[in-house]
Each structure stands twice: as C-alpha cells, then as structure tokens.
Amino acid sequence: KDRDKAVLLTRCPNFSRQTFSPAARAMFRTAFGRLTVAAAPLQRSAMGPSLAMAMSTMPSAKPCPDFSSGPCKKRPGWSTDVYKTAATGRSHRSKIGKAKLKQAIEETRRILGVPADYKIGIVPASDTGAIEMAMWSMLGPKPVDMCHWESFGKGWLGDVSSHLKLKDVTEITAGYGELPDLSKTNKDHDIVFTWNGTTSGVCVPNADWIAADRTGLTFNDATSAVFAMNIDWDKVDVTTY
C-alpha cells in the first residue's frame, strides 16, 4: 500500500543489495523512492504489519500429495519414480533439455505414425499457440475456408477475421452436435478445421472430403483426435495438438 517504500523479502543468506544491478536499483527508486533488502533471517522490521502477521504462523496442513491437474487418472504403472529423471527447472537449451525434446519428437513420430517427410516441433502456449503460430505464418496468400462446429474452431475463425483481418474468408459452420457440409470446401483454398470438436464431441468421420489434388493447405487442429483417431496424414498439411 505504501508507494514510498519497496521491500524485497528473501531467504537467501548470500543475498545483498549488491545482488541488484545499478539499473534495477534505479528502477526501484524511481518507482518507490526507497529500496530495502531483507535477507535471511527475515526481519519483521522490514515488513508491513499485515505481512508480518500473515507470516507469523505456518499452515497447519500441507496440500494433499495426491493432487493432480484436472480429473485425471494416472496411467497404469505410474509412480513417483518418473520424477527421478525429470528435468524440472532446466532450460530447454540445456543438454538434458535438448535430449528430452529429441526423445519426445522421435516418440511422437513413432507412436502416431507421422511420415518421415513431416517436420515435428514442440512449441509453447499449448495447442492454441501452435495453431495460431501456423495460421499467422502461413495463411494469407490464398482464400481461406474456416470450418467450425464448436467453440475452439469458432475461436480460430475469430483469429482469422479479427486479428489477421483476412478478407477472403468463407465460414462453413453448423450448430453444436452437428457437422457442417464439408463438401463446400474448395480444394484451391486453405482450409482450417478441428478434427474432433473438443467442446461438442463431433468429429469428422474421415478425410475423404479433402481433395488429394488440392492446391491449398489444410490446417488440422487435432488436440482431441490425434491420440484417439486415425489421422490421414496424406490429407493434412499442418497438424497441431
């Protein structure tokens, strides 16, 4: 609450004012007027009264050790031994980080049967980041057919219309629980679609509707499909999950 004083709390015994670069110290002073560094053990005189009170007692119970993300069941045979070789806190540029990325890419190709001439990359920001990277990088030269029948596909339409602001866009859509008439797609257009609609559960039955002699690219959001359905790799030029 007090903008005239900034307090940095740390338990590092070797932490000192010299830990800050001159630029960082100047930034703090410009923003707050004063910088106080409190090294271990924490000095309550460096804290405000509310923070000191909050830190005066330890929690009476620790979080449940069985916690996991979402209502997910662990795979058969899972144990905490997986953490023995985990690269937690390591850069993807480190030797172990590069090795794990290489293994993940090779196993992706093997398990999913990805053809040898397809490039596989691991990117940040989940499938949203992957599909948006692809659209931002490759859409534009040709007209685009945006096929959607649930919320994620509709989101990709919003990206193309509102953010990329492409002009020649055809919307091919259907309501929840239904599949649009995909024969309306044009083989000379780029096509963006979701193989299995995550929020509606409606999926394409196959890729027969995609022309083998197409000149446009097909962008396949396969998040809810790639490990559950057979992907016809010859019909999809860009796949994300």
Side-chain angles (χ1 to χ4, degrees):
K1 294 180 180 180
D2 299 325
R3 289 185 57 84
D4 63 337
K5 181 179 181 181
V7 179
L8 179 66
L9 303 176
T10 175
R11 290 190 180 277
C12 177
N14 297 321
F15 194 92
S16 68
R17 188 182 299 270
Q18 284 68 42
T19 304
F20 289 105
S21 68
R25 291 199 296 273
M27 180 187 71
F28 268 85
R29 290 194 181 98
T30 298
F32 298 102
R34 180 181 176 186
L35 171 65
T36 298
V37 175
L42 291 175
Q43 301 296 319
R44 292 193 181 180
S45 60
M47 307 178 197
S50 59
L51 180 59
M53 181 179 296
M55 297 185 66
S56 61
T57 57
M58 294 295 289
S60 59
K62 293 183 177 180
C64 172
D66 301 322
F67 175 80
S68 183
S69 60
C72 305
K73 182 179 179 180
K74 293 290 190 293
R75 61 171 173 80
W78 186 91
S79 75
T80 54
D81 288 344
V82 298
Y83 296 123
K84 292 180 179 178
T85 58
T88 54
R90 299 297 301 276
S91 167
H92 62 283
R93 296 185 180 91
S94 66
K95 184 176 181 180
I96 186 173
K98 289 179 180 178
K100 285 187 174 293
L101 286 172
K102 182 175 184 293
Q103 180 186 15
I105 289 170
E106 291 174 347
E107 285 295 276
T108 294
R109 190 179 302 279
R110 180 186 68 83
I111 293 170
L112 298 180
V114 179
D117 59 341
Y118 278 58
K119 301 294 184 182
I120 299 174
I122 298 176
V123 300
S126 186
D127 178 61
T128 299
I131 191 69
E132 290 184 338
M133 286 178 201
M135 292 192 297
W136 257 252
S137 301
M138 289 178 267
L139 290 182
K142 287 180 173 289
V144 185
D145 291 344
M146 299 297 299
C147 307
H148 71 88
W149 49 94
E150 48 83 59
S151 60
F152 284 100
K154 188 174 183 179
W156 311 149
L157 171 67
D159 280 342
V160 168
S161 302
S162 302
H163 299 289
L164 290 176
K165 300 184 185 302
L166 300 183
K167 301 301 182 184
D168 199 348
V169 177
T170 300
E171 181 181 3
I172 301 173
T173 186
Y176 271 73
E178 299 178 351
L179 196 66
D181 183 359
L182 297 173
S183 67
K184 293 181 178 179
T185 55
N186 189 320
K187 68 184 182 68
D188 297 319
H189 293 185
D190 291 334
I191 300 171
V192 180
F193 72 100
T194 304
W195 192 289
N196 183 21
T198 303
T199 59
S200 73
V202 176
C203 64
V204 296
N206 50 54
D208 294 350
W209 55 278
I210 299 174
D213 60 344
R214 64 192 177 280
T215 61
L217 296 175
T218 52
F219 293 73
N220 168 31
D221 171 4
T223 288
S224 297
V226 74
F227 284 101
M229 302 169 184
N230 292 321
I231 304 297
D232 188 345
W233 297 107
D234 290 336
K235 295 293 186 73
V236 289
D237 303 303
V238 181
T239 293
T240 67
Y241 70 88

